[in-house]
Amino acid sequence: YCTVRGNYIHDTLGTDADCHDIGIYGSSGNPSYNVVKHNRCFGTGAHGIFHQGTGTTIPFKNKILNNFVNEKTTYGIVAYQVTAADTETTISGNTVWDILGTGLAGAGGSGIYVQTSGGCFVTENNVSNCCRSTTSAANGPAAISVAFNGALRRTNIVSNNQIDAPKWSGIQISDSSNETICETNNVSFSDGTNGAGIKGVDCSYTAIINNRVSAAVTVARSGVSMLASTVDCIGNDLSGNTITGTNANLLST
């Protein structure tokens, strides 16, 4: 029940792979019902705001609201579970930009990254110019990336986010089989050849609905893409999306 509010943190000097400006972290007990809001996390360090449990430690119903984060090497905001759990984390109203992607051997770079955490709400964030130096697709790089939640029971919702100029995908949903909902987001990009406006990889029962994706006509990236890479994919819903521009596939499965 703690509040971390109104702090200005600049140029963190830590070199550990998980060094961060603000952390909600538990190695014993369950750090829950905390609020991180209206902070400014600028320059260097791996992550801006770091939210993680370890083993059976499950952070629950924490809120990350209306923060400004930029120029981190790996992720702007990360919500990560070592063991899959429904954390019901809310990440809303944040502005994240210029995340570099040089961490994790070039496989990072997402503005907001949610892994193995269920029941999360990623809503009304502004994410721009992320994955700037990302070189590998191993961790599903995107402005907003949600990964590995097939073992979870609660639906993740990614909605009403504004995404501009991602160097890889705008939104990527990976290895999901618990009805992830990606709806009413607005993605625009003008360059790059990696990823798609919205991309699903090895997903089932995932909804990509009522989103807007726009791109320059010279960009060779799909508007919306659903890919079966290593497993069969069933029960997906791609409907009501508005896609303009690109000289690749507008919508592909």
Side-chain angles (χ1 to χ4, degrees):
Y1 295 94
C2 298
T3 298
V4 180
R5 176 179 59 202
N7 300 285
Y8 176 75
I9 303 170
H10 192 273
D11 287 348
T12 303
L13 297 179
T15 58
D16 182 82
D18 283 329
C19 67
H20 49 269
D21 291 356
I22 297 172
I24 298 175
Y25 177 82
S27 57
S28 62
N30 297 315
S32 300
Y33 301 99
N34 300 289
V35 179
V36 177
K37 65 180 181 180
H38 300 297
N39 300 284
R40 294 180 292 167
C41 303
F42 293 157
T44 68
H47 316 297
I49 299 172
F50 183 78
H51 178 281
Q52 179 177 308
T54 59
T56 58
T57 302
I58 304 170
F60 185 65
K61 286 198 173 182
N62 295 293
K63 295 182 179 181
I64 301 171
L65 309 174
N66 303 314
N67 301 281
F68 290 83
V69 181
N70 91 318
E71 290 191 350
K72 301 303 168 183
T73 63
T74 308
Y75 299 124
I77 297 171
V78 55
Y80 177 84
Q81 274 295 111
V82 174
T83 302
D86 293 312
T87 65
E88 299 187 34
T89 307
T90 297
I91 302 172
S92 180
N94 302 282
T95 299
V96 184
W97 73 103
D98 289 354
I99 302 304
L100 301 178
T102 54
L104 298 178
S110 297
I112 297 172
Y113 184 71
V114 177
Q115 179 174 323
T116 338
S117 298
C120 296
F121 297 88
V122 183
T123 64
E124 298 182 355
N125 301 283
N126 287 279
V127 185
S128 61
N129 200 33
C130 291
C131 306
R132 289 174 55 188
S133 299
T134 301
T135 57
S136 168
N139 286 3
I144 297 174
S145 183
V146 178
F148 306 111
N149 58 349
L152 306 170
R153 292 174 294 174
R154 294 189 178 274
T155 298
N156 286 320
I157 297 176
V158 181
S159 67
N160 297 304
N161 298 284
Q162 178 68 43
I163 296 168
D164 183 56
K167 302 305 180 184
W168 285 63
S169 293
I171 298 171
Q172 180 158 329
I173 312 295
S174 307
D175 300 285
S176 170
S177 58
N178 75 328
E179 300 182 4
T180 298
I181 298 174
C182 177
E183 63 180 355
T184 58
N185 300 283
N186 193 341
V187 180
S188 63
F189 51 89
S190 58
D191 60 6
T193 57
N194 297 302
I198 300 174
K199 185 176 182 179
V201 180
D202 291 338
C203 296
S204 291
Y205 302 105
T206 293
I208 299 176
I209 55 177
N210 300 325
N211 301 281
R212 298 181 63 89
V213 178
S214 60
V217 295
T218 57
V219 176
R221 287 202 272 176
S222 296
V224 175
S225 173
M226 185 68 76
L227 170 67
S229 177
T230 60
V231 299
D232 291 335
C233 300
I234 60 173
N236 294 306
D237 180 4
L238 280 66
S239 60
N241 300 288
T242 300
I243 306 166
T244 59
T246 91
N247 66 0
N249 301 311
L250 294 183
L251 188 151
S252 62
T253 58

